[in-house]
Amino acid sequence: AQSVTQLDSHVSVSEGTPVLLRCNYSSSYSPSLFWYVQHPNKGLQLLLKYTSAATLVKGINGFEAEFKKSETSFHLTKPSAHMSDAAEYFCVVSERDSSYKLIFGSGTRLLVRP
Amino acid sequence: GAVVSQHPSRVICKSGTSVKIECRSLDFQATTMFWYRQFPKKSLMLMATSNEGSKATYEQGVEKDKFLINHASLTLSTLTVTSAHPEDSSFYICSARVSFSGGGTYEQYFGPGTRLTVT
């Protein structure tokens, strides 16, 4: 079975400093991986996805993630945090059977200090 | 982009009553929709997969008689919480699956969620 582990429940950074949200996955075969963001009272929004093409994936709002098979990791980064980045972030792996069900990590709450 | 709506956004009901939540794909057709439940400060838990014109597929541990799912059209799926109890209070989120490139890749678009409170 596939799963994802988000190593930090909370991450706090200062505005303008780099962001690193960590995610490790477990999969029997090559997975599809995603990062979603959830702002309060808003729906989940896809930041980026990896589907076996380039290992460095660029997403929206300056976020990017690198798929590292040797480390089974898919960490999310951003060079410079903005106050509007404060939200809950979910690392997600997709089943590769016909259902394409999404399996969510436990989430990381990003706090951005002024 | 693909937009998914949910109605209502918030609902309060009394214990023992039933409540229906709608999930609509506004500008596309979705043969498959998913229903998730999110507890406070927790992750999303997949409850069931809703397929248009057929019975929903429930995840292990989810009571199919309590959480009735109907996907009667390509743009609408409904979740009915029957005989609701306070422990059913939660944030319910739906998503719709869209295929690209002739069905080779998929993406899910999420609704804004419905906050259910059972008193």
Side-chain angles (χ1 to χ4, degrees):
Chain A
Q2 302 191 11
S3 65
V4 287
T5 301
Q6 290 184 245
L7 300 164
D8 306 295
S9 60
H10 293 81
V11 169
S12 181
V13 301
S14 297
E15 189 175 21
T17 63
V19 175
L20 169 64
L21 304 184
R22 298 182 294 167
C23 173
N24 285 100
Y25 69 91
S26 173
S27 176
S28 301
Y29 27 71
S30 183
S32 291
L33 292 160
F34 309 79
W35 276 98
Y36 281 86
V37 61
Q38 186 181 36
H39 287 94
N41 302 317
K42 290 191 176 180
L44 285 155
Q45 182 182 22
L46 179 66
L47 282 177
L48 48 83
K49 61 181 178 182
Y50 166 77
T51 54
S52 76
T55 56
L56 182 61
V57 183
K58 293 188 183 296
I60 62 172
N61 300 335
F63 285 95
E64 61 181 40
E66 186 172 6
F67 174 74
K68 290 187 176 180
K69 186 175 181 179
S70 60
E71 298 176 10
T72 61
S73 68
F74 191 58
H75 301 333
L76 181 71
T77 61
K78 183 174 180 177
S80 176
H82 192 272
M83 294 298 292
S84 61
D85 294 328
E88 188 86 21
Y89 291 80
F90 294 98
C91 182
V92 181
V93 64
S94 174
E95 296 272 1
R96 292 299 287 265
D97 59 15
S98 58
S99 71
Y100 281 85
K101 293 188 291 188
L102 298 182
I103 300 167
F104 281 74
S106 54
T108 298
R109 180 163 296 276
L110 177 63
L111 306 172
V112 183
R113 304 184 301 271
Chain B
V3 178
V4 176
S5 71
Q6 280 185 241
H7 178 82
S9 58
R10 291 176 180 270
V11 58
I12 300 173
C13 71
K14 292 188 175 181
S15 187
T17 63
S18 296
V19 61
K20 180 184 288 187
I21 303 170
E22 293 185 347
C23 176
R24 292 181 184 274
S25 55
L26 296 186
D27 49 3
F28 64 100
Q29 294 182 331
T31 55
T32 302
M33 292 183 173
F34 301 89
W35 285 96
Y36 296 84
R37 182 172 179 177
Q38 185 178 29
F39 292 97
K41 299 183 180 181
K42 296 286 186 182
S43 185
L44 277 74
M45 179 193 78
L46 178 65
M47 298 175 66
T49 303
S50 171
N51 297 299
E52 187 268 336
S54 64
K55 291 184 177 180
T57 304
Y58 290 81
E59 296 300 302
Q60 192 173 8
V62 177
E63 298 177 61
K64 60 181 68 177
D65 294 330
K66 181 167 189 60
F67 298 100
L68 300 179
I69 292 172
N70 184 280
H71 194 156
S73 78
L74 288 171
T75 60
L76 173 65
S77 176
T78 60
L79 168 68
T80 301
V81 183
T82 62
S83 186
H85 286 94
E87 57 264 32
D88 298 326
S89 299
S90 193
F91 194 54
Y92 292 89
I93 302 173
C94 74
S95 71
R97 191 180 79 178
V98 178
S99 64
F100 299 97
S101 303
T105 60
Y106 295 87
E107 195 165 314
Q108 284 191 33
Y109 293 92
F110 287 81
T114 296
R115 174 84 51 198
L116 170 64
T117 303
V118 184
T119 61

